Amino acid sequence: QKEVEQDPGPLSVPEGAIVSLNCTYSNSAFQYFMWYRQYSRKGPELLMYTYSSGNKEDGRFTAQVDKSSKYISLFIRDSQPSDSATYLCATNYGGSQGNLIFGKGTKLSVKP
Amino acid sequence: SQTIHQWPATLVQPVGSPLSLECTVEGTSNPNLYWYRQAAGRGLQLLFYSVGIGQISSEVPQNLSASRPQDRQFILSSKKLLLSDSGFYLCAWSVAGASTDTQYFGPGTRLTVL
């Protein structure tokens, strides 16, 4: 069983839709959870990170962690064509050499 | 603020040729440094990481090597490239000692081996 599973998509939505991106993980020892956005032919950029269960909001983005289910989500409200990218979830055990474990990414396309 | 640079941005090399990719970080001291390869459909593969000058850990056996000659410089090398070395190479850094190990990525180098 892979440590982090993520549906590769592609996911296509109309502009203005609410987008839900999800990952599951297998190890309950994982402590930190991150979402990265990667535009085509660019390096991933950090969107959000969270430690505890619950929700964390940043503008149109909400990261949600459910440690009991080992499930993490990223919600995008009022999606825009500029949100079209691949979204990668990541997690680690914590510590200075945590070595992030990444999902394979979900490719999102927001159609105008 | 911190900035991470990678060069070259793109590279086309023949099989059997050498390789040198460079990564530098500005605006921070003693960062943890990482090299990843990203191949289509395979996600990010950690190749090397470094916690200090001359300290390199390898995650996968391969014909690539890494060096850290200066605090904020990380180099990925190969003596003889293989076709399978083609991919998108990403350098990343994180704050040493931080519990989150949040990593910040460079713009990447797209390598095509022919």
Side-chain angles (χ1 to χ4, degrees):
Chain A
Q1 182 184 10
K2 292 186 172 56
E3 292 192 283
V4 179
E5 299 271 9
Q6 186 175 10
D7 186 335
L11 180 63
S12 182
V13 302
E15 183 175 355
I18 296 174
V19 176
S20 173
L21 303 166
N22 309 295
C23 288
T24 58
Y25 61 94
S26 58
N27 194 328
S28 58
F30 290 145
Q31 296 185 13
Y32 297 94
F33 305 91
M34 297 153 211
W35 284 97
Y36 286 82
R37 177 175 62 195
Q38 185 175 21
Y39 291 115
S40 180
R41 308 181 82 84
K42 303 290 185 183
E45 59 177 317
L46 179 69
L47 272 180
M48 302 178 71
Y49 77 88
T50 184
Y51 170 70
S52 59
S53 283
N55 294 351
K56 182 177 181 179
E57 268 192 44
D58 184 1
R60 295 185 295 111
F61 298 90
T62 299
Q64 187 176 81
V65 177
D66 183 347
K67 288 189 174 180
S68 62
S69 301
K70 300 191 186 71
Y71 198 82
I72 57 176
S73 300
L74 178 71
F75 298 97
I76 307 174
R77 292 185 300 278
D78 187 24
S79 57
Q80 304 294 311
S82 58
D83 295 326
S84 298
T86 296
Y87 290 80
L88 301 154
C89 62
T91 182
N92 72 348
Y93 298 100
S96 60
Q97 300 174 40
N99 298 145
L100 293 183
I101 300 164
F102 287 88
K104 289 190 176 182
T106 299
K107 187 171 184 178
L108 171 67
S109 177
V110 181
K111 303 294 186 184
Chain B
S1 64
Q2 299 83 15
T3 310
I4 179 168
H5 303 278
Q6 285 186 248
W7 63 88
T10 59
L11 193 59
V12 180
Q13 292 283 95
V15 169
S17 63
L19 174 74
S20 181
L21 303 181
E22 189 165 342
C23 170
T24 59
V25 181
E26 296 177 355
T28 187
S29 295
N30 192 33
N32 295 329
L33 294 172
Y34 308 84
W35 277 113
Y36 288 88
R37 178 169 57 207
Q38 188 176 37
R42 297 185 63 182
L44 284 165
Q45 180 187 29
L46 180 64
L47 302 175
F48 301 95
Y49 71 91
S50 171
V51 300
I53 296 174
Q55 301 177 64
I56 309 294
S57 295
S58 174
E59 290 295 302
V60 292
Q62 58 209 327
N63 71 321
L64 299 171
S65 62
S67 61
R68 184 170 177 173
Q70 301 181 43
D71 181 44
R72 290 170 289 178
Q73 184 185 31
F74 206 21
I75 296 172
L76 183 69
S77 303
S78 174
K79 292 182 179 177
K80 286 187 177 182
L81 282 169
L82 307 173
L83 285 173
S84 57
D85 291 323
S86 293
F88 191 44
Y89 288 83
L90 290 156
C91 182
W93 72 274
S94 67
V95 175
S99 56
T100 62
D101 195 37
T102 304
Q103 294 179 20
Y104 303 91
F105 287 84
T109 294
R110 188 160 301 278
L111 172 66
T112 303
V113 182
L114 301 174

